[in-house]
Amino acid sequence: MNIKINENYDNLKESYLFSETAKRINKYSAENPDKKVIKLSIGDVTLPLTKTVIAAMHKAVDEMADKDTFRGYPPEYGYDFLREAIAGYYERHGVKIDADEVFVSDGAKSDCGNIVDILGDNDILIPDPVYPVYMDSNIMSGRNIQLLQANIDNNFLPMPDGLEKKPYIIYLCSPNNPTGAVYTKEQLAKWVGFANESGSLIIFDAAYESFINGDYPRSIYAVEGARTCAVEICSFSKMAGFTGTRCSWSVFPKELEAGGKSLKKMWERRQATKFNGVPYIIQRAAEAAISPDGYKEAMENIKYYMGNAKLISELLKEKGIWFSGGVCSPYIWLKCPNGMDSWTFFDWLLENAQVGGTPGAGFGAEGEGYFRLTAFGSRENTEEAIERLKKIL
Ligand code: PLP
């Protein structure tokens, strides 16, 4: 063909981090069929949907089977019942959001990747290490990316000190994937202050807000001034086990504008053009997940995962291995022992303990020498992995 293609794709790393880890684990399993690999790698949940969610889905399925209650295309921005339920969820956590500022989507990943559609050629600030989608989606659009180094010296929480006061698109993820680091309200207030002074936009990824344990903001809008400078992206995936069910939301406050244009209106236009909404059955399930009963059940599941995190943390403490996370996030971020680099440790762990993890280097250059383990496994598998690690670490 003679068409022009998006050459920015040439600037991407060859494969997406989680595809590469899965590829190596699958190759090892194929070559060693007698060995059981325990995956503490990709951040996928393992507990099933809870009974309140399932009951809501069954009811919605029955509605779809009846001529009088059947639904066709859903509204592009989400059914009012879910937008209102999400606004109510914020209110329960002390944050006021209007239901029409909530945009229901099929995943935080989609929104993180799609938001570039409504933004022009700005300088981009991305923490390093962090969830790779921010970086890759901006590389795909050919943006100028500046990294915000996160390391032991700043407790993996980069701050705006020293940044030039010019408009940026700033990605923040708190609690952070992969490090588990969480911003305090004072720290977020500094970011919000910087964004408002410099005319920047913060894209705040709160996908792990439901894991917060302690006095940390669960939403950027808990910070005064955030409505004029921040979009928030959040998800049912980790909160309620929706990784395979697919439902999330983004918040675009009415006050957000650039060049006299409302970002909320632009997002409405973008979604109405390129997205046909989340299925009714799924939106009913999501509504149930944040109902009082559904949320209680979700919290029980999170408690279970955090029990795994505690076991992994105890092992690392016992072995004298530096780590963070595991308190407000389902991830444990550890320093690879004996000075190993991230991928060497990955291969070593797979070879010697048949335990899969995620190399820190895959989340950014500052992640080199670190490694991420997740608490999303079953208790049984986590315990078995710990027994194996005890012998080799
Ligand atoms: N944001 C962060 C920080 C994540 O870690 C993930 C998934 O791992 C997502 C977004 C994607 O969430 P979703 O399943 O809603 O697409």
Side-chain angles (χ1 to χ4, degrees), residues 43 107-110 112 131 134 173 177 205 207-208 235 237-238 243 246-248 331:
K109 188 184 203 176
S110 315
C112 287
Y131 182 54
Y134 320 144
C173 178
N177 174 12
D205 187 341
Y208 297 94
S235 176
S237 282
K238 313 297 162 95
T243 53
R246 310 305 304 142
C247 198
S248 72
Y331 300 122

PDB file of all heavy atoms in Angstrom, residues 43 107-110 112 131 134 173 177 205 207-208 235 237-238 243 246-248 331, ligand 1:
ATOM      1  N   GLY A  43      -2.157  -7.236  37.101  1.00  0.00           N
ATOM      2  CA  GLY A  43      -3.053  -6.797  38.173  1.00  0.00           C
ATOM      3  C   GLY A  43      -4.496  -7.202  37.921  1.00  0.00           C
ATOM      4  O   GLY A  43      -5.374  -6.356  37.846  1.00  0.00           O
ATOM      5  N   GLY A 107     -13.897   1.296  30.495  1.00  0.00           N
ATOM      6  CA  GLY A 107     -12.637   1.018  31.176  1.00  0.00           C
ATOM      7  C   GLY A 107     -11.816   2.271  31.358  1.00  0.00           C
ATOM      8  O   GLY A 107     -11.822   3.162  30.493  1.00  0.00           O
ATOM      9  N   ALA A 108     -11.110   2.323  32.472  1.00  0.00           N
ATOM     10  CA  ALA A 108     -10.213   3.453  32.714  1.00  0.00           C
ATOM     11  C   ALA A 108      -9.110   3.455  31.664  1.00  0.00           C
ATOM     12  O   ALA A 108      -8.608   4.502  31.267  1.00  0.00           O
ATOM     13  CB  ALA A 108      -9.627   3.363  34.118  1.00  0.00           C
ATOM     14  N   LYS A 109      -8.741   2.262  31.190  1.00  0.00           N
ATOM     15  CA  LYS A 109      -7.706   2.195  30.159  1.00  0.00           C
ATOM     16  C   LYS A 109      -8.169   2.938  28.908  1.00  0.00           C
ATOM     17  O   LYS A 109      -7.415   3.714  28.315  1.00  0.00           O
ATOM     18  CB  LYS A 109      -7.388   0.738  29.822  1.00  0.00           C
ATOM     19  CG  LYS A 109      -6.198   0.557  28.914  1.00  0.00           C
ATOM     20  CD  LYS A 109      -6.028  -0.912  28.575  1.00  0.00           C
ATOM     21  CE  LYS A 109      -4.619  -1.239  28.172  1.00  0.00           C
ATOM     22  NZ  LYS A 109      -4.441  -2.689  27.947  1.00  0.00           N
ATOM     23  N   SER A 110      -9.420   2.710  28.514  1.00  0.00           N
ATOM     24  CA  SER A 110      -9.948   3.396  27.331  1.00  0.00           C
ATOM     25  C   SER A 110      -9.886   4.903  27.524  1.00  0.00           C
ATOM     26  O   SER A 110      -9.434   5.646  26.636  1.00  0.00           O
ATOM     27  CB  SER A 110     -11.406   3.011  27.064  1.00  0.00           C
ATOM     28  OG  SER A 110     -11.590   1.634  27.182  1.00  0.00           O
ATOM     29  N   CYS A 112      -8.095   6.703  29.662  1.00  0.00           N
ATOM     30  CA  CYS A 112      -6.702   7.185  29.750  1.00  0.00           C
ATOM     31  C   CYS A 112      -6.121   7.319  28.345  1.00  0.00           C
ATOM     32  O   CYS A 112      -5.391   8.260  28.044  1.00  0.00           O
ATOM     33  CB  CYS A 112      -5.812   6.201  30.518  1.00  0.00           C
ATOM     34  SG  CYS A 112      -6.096   6.184  32.279  1.00  0.00           S
ATOM     35  N   TYR A 131       1.808   3.308  35.451  1.00  0.00           N
ATOM     36  CA  TYR A 131       0.973   2.560  34.505  1.00  0.00           C
ATOM     37  C   TYR A 131       1.334   2.991  33.064  1.00  0.00           C
ATOM     38  O   TYR A 131       1.253   4.177  32.741  1.00  0.00           O
ATOM     39  CB  TYR A 131      -0.474   2.902  34.844  1.00  0.00           C
ATOM     40  CG  TYR A 131      -1.542   2.228  34.047  1.00  0.00           C
ATOM     41  CD1 TYR A 131      -1.595   0.844  33.936  1.00  0.00           C
ATOM     42  CD2 TYR A 131      -2.558   2.980  33.443  1.00  0.00           C
ATOM     43  CE1 TYR A 131      -2.611   0.238  33.220  1.00  0.00           C
ATOM     44  CE2 TYR A 131      -3.574   2.373  32.725  1.00  0.00           C
ATOM     45  CZ  TYR A 131      -3.589   1.000  32.624  1.00  0.00           C
ATOM     46  OH  TYR A 131      -4.593   0.398  31.912  1.00  0.00           O
ATOM     47  N   TYR A 134      -0.351   5.856  29.897  1.00  0.00           N
ATOM     48  CA  TYR A 134      -0.233   7.311  29.698  1.00  0.00           C
ATOM     49  C   TYR A 134       0.889   7.600  28.702  1.00  0.00           C
ATOM     50  O   TYR A 134       0.761   8.431  27.810  1.00  0.00           O
ATOM     51  CB  TYR A 134       0.082   8.054  31.006  1.00  0.00           C
ATOM     52  CG  TYR A 134      -0.618   7.584  32.252  1.00  0.00           C
ATOM     53  CD1 TYR A 134       0.044   7.602  33.481  1.00  0.00           C
ATOM     54  CD2 TYR A 134      -1.929   7.132  32.219  1.00  0.00           C
ATOM     55  CE1 TYR A 134      -0.582   7.181  34.645  1.00  0.00           C
ATOM     56  CE2 TYR A 134      -2.548   6.705  33.384  1.00  0.00           C
ATOM     57  CZ  TYR A 134      -1.870   6.727  34.587  1.00  0.00           C
ATOM     58  OH  TYR A 134      -2.470   6.296  35.732  1.00  0.00           O
ATOM     59  N   CYS A 173      -1.205   9.400  39.360  1.00  0.00           N
ATOM     60  CA  CYS A 173      -1.869   8.136  39.675  1.00  0.00           C
ATOM     61  C   CYS A 173      -1.674   7.890  41.163  1.00  0.00           C
ATOM     62  O   CYS A 173      -0.553   7.698  41.617  1.00  0.00           O
ATOM     63  CB  CYS A 173      -1.226   7.025  38.844  1.00  0.00           C
ATOM     64  SG  CYS A 173      -1.895   5.377  39.143  1.00  0.00           S
ATOM     65  N   ASN A 177       0.133   2.812  40.646  1.00  0.00           N
ATOM     66  CA  ASN A 177       0.506   1.531  40.069  1.00  0.00           C
ATOM     67  C   ASN A 177       1.800   1.822  39.300  1.00  0.00           C
ATOM     68  O   ASN A 177       1.776   2.665  38.403  1.00  0.00           O
ATOM     69  CB  ASN A 177      -0.579   1.046  39.108  1.00  0.00           C
ATOM     70  CG  ASN A 177      -0.173  -0.213  38.383  1.00  0.00           C
ATOM     71  OD1 ASN A 177       0.812  -0.856  38.738  1.00  0.00           O
ATOM     72  ND2 ASN A 177      -0.928  -0.563  37.347  1.00  0.00           N
ATOM     73  N   ASP A 205      -5.663   9.661  37.858  1.00  0.00           N
ATOM     74  CA  ASP A 205      -6.122   8.274  37.760  1.00  0.00           C
ATOM     75  C   ASP A 205      -6.298   7.729  39.175  1.00  0.00           C
ATOM     76  O   ASP A 205      -5.330   7.507  39.902  1.00  0.00           O
ATOM     77  CB  ASP A 205      -5.079   7.462  36.974  1.00  0.00           C
ATOM     78  CG  ASP A 205      -5.552   6.042  36.675  1.00  0.00           C
ATOM     79  OD1 ASP A 205      -6.478   5.558  37.346  1.00  0.00           O
ATOM     80  OD2 ASP A 205      -4.971   5.407  35.770  1.00  0.00           O
ATOM     81  N   ALA A 207      -7.840   4.825  39.944  1.00  0.00           N
ATOM     82  CA  ALA A 207      -8.319   3.445  39.789  1.00  0.00           C
ATOM     83  C   ALA A 207      -8.213   2.607  41.068  1.00  0.00           C
ATOM     84  O   ALA A 207      -8.932   1.624  41.220  1.00  0.00           O
ATOM     85  CB  ALA A 207      -7.561   2.756  38.651  1.00  0.00           C
ATOM     86  N   TYR A 208      -7.322   3.015  41.980  1.00  0.00           N
ATOM     87  CA  TYR A 208      -7.132   2.220  43.208  1.00  0.00           C
ATOM     88  C   TYR A 208      -7.649   2.932  44.451  1.00  0.00           C
ATOM     89  O   TYR A 208      -7.272   2.580  45.568  1.00  0.00           O
ATOM     90  CB  TYR A 208      -5.641   1.857  43.363  1.00  0.00           C
ATOM     91  CG  TYR A 208      -5.178   0.976  42.222  1.00  0.00           C
ATOM     92  CD1 TYR A 208      -4.582   1.528  41.089  1.00  0.00           C
ATOM     93  CD2 TYR A 208      -5.404  -0.395  42.239  1.00  0.00           C
ATOM     94  CE1 TYR A 208      -4.211   0.736  40.016  1.00  0.00           C
ATOM     95  CE2 TYR A 208      -5.042  -1.194  41.174  1.00  0.00           C
ATOM     96  CZ  TYR A 208      -4.448  -0.620  40.063  1.00  0.00           C
ATOM     97  OH  TYR A 208      -4.106  -1.420  39.003  1.00  0.00           O
ATOM     98  N   SER A 235     -12.449   3.522  38.163  1.00  0.00           N
ATOM     99  CA  SER A 235     -12.860   2.251  37.564  1.00  0.00           C
ATOM    100  C   SER A 235     -13.510   1.317  38.576  1.00  0.00           C
ATOM    101  O   SER A 235     -13.199   1.361  39.762  1.00  0.00           O
ATOM    102  CB  SER A 235     -11.617   1.572  36.990  1.00  0.00           C
ATOM    103  OG  SER A 235     -11.935   0.308  36.485  1.00  0.00           O
ATOM    104  N   SER A 237     -13.043  -1.823  38.043  1.00  0.00           N
ATOM    105  CA  SER A 237     -12.245  -3.035  37.834  1.00  0.00           C
ATOM    106  C   SER A 237     -11.663  -3.593  39.117  1.00  0.00           C
ATOM    107  O   SER A 237     -11.863  -4.762  39.446  1.00  0.00           O
ATOM    108  CB  SER A 237     -11.097  -2.751  36.864  1.00  0.00           C
ATOM    109  OG  SER A 237     -11.574  -2.741  35.547  1.00  0.00           O
ATOM    110  N   LYS A 238     -10.908  -2.770  39.818  1.00  0.00           N
ATOM    111  CA  LYS A 238     -10.212  -3.280  41.000  1.00  0.00           C
ATOM    112  C   LYS A 238     -11.105  -3.158  42.226  1.00  0.00           C
ATOM    113  O   LYS A 238     -10.991  -3.923  43.159  1.00  0.00           O
ATOM    114  CB  LYS A 238      -8.891  -2.543  41.217  1.00  0.00           C
ATOM    115  CG  LYS A 238      -8.043  -2.395  39.950  1.00  0.00           C
ATOM    116  CD  LYS A 238      -7.579  -3.715  39.364  1.00  0.00           C
ATOM    117  CE  LYS A 238      -7.144  -3.597  37.922  1.00  0.00           C
ATOM    118  NZ  LYS A 238      -5.765  -3.399  37.673  1.00  0.00           N
ATOM    119  N   THR A 243     -12.781  -6.440  36.158  1.00  0.00           N
ATOM    120  CA  THR A 243     -11.776  -6.425  35.086  1.00  0.00           C
ATOM    121  C   THR A 243     -12.309  -7.095  33.811  1.00  0.00           C
ATOM    122  O   THR A 243     -11.993  -6.664  32.709  1.00  0.00           O
ATOM    123  CB  THR A 243     -10.454  -7.103  35.532  1.00  0.00           C
ATOM    124  OG1 THR A 243     -10.774  -8.399  36.034  1.00  0.00           O
ATOM    125  CG2 THR A 243      -9.748  -6.309  36.608  1.00  0.00           C
ATOM    126  N   ARG A 246     -16.044  -4.897  32.735  1.00  0.00           N
ATOM    127  CA  ARG A 246     -15.744  -3.643  32.048  1.00  0.00           C
ATOM    128  C   ARG A 246     -16.719  -2.513  32.364  1.00  0.00           C
ATOM    129  O   ARG A 246     -17.781  -2.378  31.739  1.00  0.00           O
ATOM    130  CB  ARG A 246     -15.675  -3.822  30.521  1.00  0.00           C
ATOM    131  CG  ARG A 246     -14.819  -4.954  30.002  1.00  0.00           C
ATOM    132  CD  ARG A 246     -13.390  -4.930  30.484  1.00  0.00           C
ATOM    133  NE  ARG A 246     -12.686  -3.714  30.191  1.00  0.00           N
ATOM    134  CZ  ARG A 246     -11.806  -3.155  31.055  1.00  0.00           C
ATOM    135  NH1 ARG A 246     -11.555  -3.700  32.228  1.00  0.00           N
ATOM    136  NH2 ARG A 246     -11.197  -2.048  30.724  1.00  0.00           N
ATOM    137  N   CYS A 247     -16.373  -1.719  33.316  1.00  0.00           N
ATOM    138  CA  CYS A 247     -17.106  -0.474  33.550  1.00  0.00           C
ATOM    139  C   CYS A 247     -16.220   0.494  34.334  1.00  0.00           C
ATOM    140  O   CYS A 247     -15.497   0.071  35.241  1.00  0.00           O
ATOM    141  CB  CYS A 247     -18.406  -0.726  34.309  1.00  0.00           C
ATOM    142  SG  CYS A 247     -19.565   0.654  34.182  1.00  0.00           S
ATOM    143  N   SER A 248     -16.264   1.745  33.953  1.00  0.00           N
ATOM    144  CA  SER A 248     -15.447   2.757  34.612  1.00  0.00           C
ATOM    145  C   SER A 248     -16.145   4.098  34.436  1.00  0.00           C
ATOM    146  O   SER A 248     -17.230   4.162  33.857  1.00  0.00           O
ATOM    147  CB  SER A 248     -14.067   2.800  33.966  1.00  0.00           C
ATOM    148  OG  SER A 248     -14.189   3.389  32.674  1.00  0.00           O
ATOM    149  N   TYR A 331      -0.544  -3.622  45.317  1.00  0.00           N
ATOM    150  CA  TYR A 331       0.770  -3.920  44.759  1.00  0.00           C
ATOM    151  C   TYR A 331       1.878  -3.775  45.797  1.00  0.00           C
ATOM    152  O   TYR A 331       1.850  -2.866  46.616  1.00  0.00           O
ATOM    153  CB  TYR A 331       1.074  -2.983  43.576  1.00  0.00           C
ATOM    154  CG  TYR A 331       0.066  -3.120  42.472  1.00  0.00           C
ATOM    155  CD1 TYR A 331      -0.685  -2.033  42.030  1.00  0.00           C
ATOM    156  CD2 TYR A 331      -0.168  -4.360  41.874  1.00  0.00           C
ATOM    157  CE1 TYR A 331      -1.625  -2.168  41.022  1.00  0.00           C
ATOM    158  CE2 TYR A 331      -1.112  -4.504  40.878  1.00  0.00           C
ATOM    159  CZ  TYR A 331      -1.833  -3.413  40.456  1.00  0.00           C
ATOM    160  OH  TYR A 331      -2.766  -3.560  39.468  1.00  0.00           O
TER     161      TYR A 331
HETATM  162  N1  PLP B   1      -5.393   2.838  35.620  1.00  0.00           N
HETATM  163  C1  PLP B   1      -4.504   2.162  36.339  1.00  0.00           C
HETATM  164  C2  PLP B   1      -3.555   2.912  37.196  1.00  0.00           C
HETATM  165  C3  PLP B   1      -4.454   0.777  36.270  1.00  0.00           C
HETATM  166  O1  PLP B   1      -3.530   0.108  36.971  1.00  0.00           O
HETATM  167  C4  PLP B   1      -5.361   0.086  35.434  1.00  0.00           C
HETATM  168  C5  PLP B   1      -5.328  -1.374  35.306  1.00  0.00           C
HETATM  169  O2  PLP B   1      -4.484  -2.077  35.746  1.00  0.00           O
HETATM  170  C6  PLP B   1      -6.272   0.835  34.723  1.00  0.00           C
HETATM  171  C7  PLP B   1      -6.268   2.208  34.822  1.00  0.00           C
HETATM  172  C8  PLP B   1      -7.220   0.177  33.778  1.00  0.00           C
HETATM  173  O3  PLP B   1      -8.448  -0.075  34.359  1.00  0.00           O
HETATM  174  P1  PLP B   1      -9.669  -0.650  33.555  1.00  0.00           P
HETATM  175  O4  PLP B   1      -9.749  -2.107  33.869  1.00  0.00           O
HETATM  176  O5  PLP B   1     -10.855   0.110  34.090  1.00  0.00           O
HETATM  177  O6  PLP B   1      -9.473  -0.404  32.106  1.00  0.00           O
END
